[in-house]
Amino acid sequence: MFQKKKDKLFVTDDRLDSVAVIMDGNGRWAKRRMLPRTAGHVAGAKNVVSVLETFRKIGVHHVTLYAFSTENWKRPQEEVDALMNLIYQYLDTVVIPRIRDDGQFSVVFLGDKSPLPEKLREKCIEVEEMAKGRPFICNVALNYGGRDEILHAANRAVADGHKEITADVLSSYMYTSGSPDPDLLIRTGGDLRISNFLLWQCAYSELYFTPTLWPDFDEGEIMKAVNDFYGRKRRFGGLDKEEEQTE
Ligand code: IPE
Ligand code: IPE
Ligand code: MG
């Protein structure tokens, strides 16, 4: 399913167009090095662009990154403040020049921006407004929670006068409206849970868990996940083509 050409792997079909990643393990990465947790977040942030570049190289057009959950506000105030500052700095110094110079990427934030510090909220809006609908879309889940998203969508649909909430209506009110559901959900850091990420959208996503910590999740690790994905049979509740033929 993959062809290797001049040392570059690329996907030859469109089965893998949308990937979601729970970027977990920054704190443990730092702890192993006797560094403060925030040093792990700095290392994690540095890894984001190279991971996005690898996904682009192999033909994945939608990447959804879990950056901060609705539950992450429970962390010590200093860590929350450090994360908010780091995300702001990263948008300002890495993402904005990239969107401007590259021409291929656009960024969409998933989640309620209103509890974010004002400076960060404005920066997120600036980033979103810079470019829309480019070939490679990076969704950044920031103050995102799957339950929060579903409730928010249902309440907005009701407020707009919908009497019956169908799957299509609900999807159209989700933060991810217009984005394809993830084909593959990756979680780094070794925990085997979803932690309130994309509960609606991951109904049929293939799940891949790796103990590798997020700052160490490199191209080789991505290709392991992608190769694993291509070994899966996605049935969506139906039967395999071969199984159908033997009936
Ligand atoms: C993920 O790394 C980053 C965020 C949740 C913002 P963690 O900070 O959860 O790292 P661990 O899980 O404690 O190692
Ligand atoms: C999930 O990681 C959230 C992000 C990666 C942003 P957590 O570290 O918050 O998840 P739990 O607490 O281990 O479930
Ligand atoms: Mg964690």
Side-chain angles (χ1 to χ4, degrees), residues 112-225:
D112 180 6
K113 292 187 189 73
S114 53
L116 300 176
E118 194 182 339
K119 241 176 93 176
L120 176 58
R121 188 168 63 241
E122 285 168 3
K123 194 51 74 182
C124 293
I125 295 167
E126 183 187 338
V127 165
E128 283 181 323
E129 294 297 322
M130 277 182 80
K132 292 186 178 174
R134 286 185 173 168
F136 296 93
I137 312 242
C138 177
N139 294 313
V140 179
L142 184 57
N143 186 33
Y144 174 89
R147 288 183 172 183
D148 173 73
E149 178 181 40
I150 293 167
L151 292 172
H152 179 259
N155 282 318
R156 279 179 57 217
V158 168
D160 283 352
H162 286 279
K163 296 218 162 38
E164 193 193 349
I165 299 181
T166 62
D168 284 346
V169 167
L170 198 62
S171 294
S172 74
Y173 282 94
M174 293 288 190
Y175 296 125
T176 52
S177 161
S179 289
D181 288 344
D183 299 303
L184 172 63
L185 170 67
I186 296 170
R187 181 177 187 137
T188 63
D191 283 314
L192 307 181
R193 56 177 171 261
I194 303 296
S195 299
N196 203 11
F197 194 36
L198 301 174
L199 299 180
W200 174 265
Q201 298 84 347
C202 283
Y204 272 103
S205 303
E206 294 299 324
L207 307 182
Y208 179 86
F209 298 95
T210 170
T212 301
L213 305 173
W214 170 252
D216 298 326
F217 189 72
D218 59 10
E219 182 170 315
E221 294 290 329
I222 292 175
M223 293 322 297
K224 272 192 226 164

Side-chain angles (χ1 to χ4, degrees), residues 23-29 37 41 67-68 72 75 79 83 191 213:
M23 309 183 288
D24 196 23
N26 294 346
R28 279 162 286 167
W29 184 93
R37 289 179 58 82
H41 295 314
F68 192 87
N72 287 147
R75 296 189 179 200
E79 182 169 345
L83 275 165
D191 283 314
L213 305 173

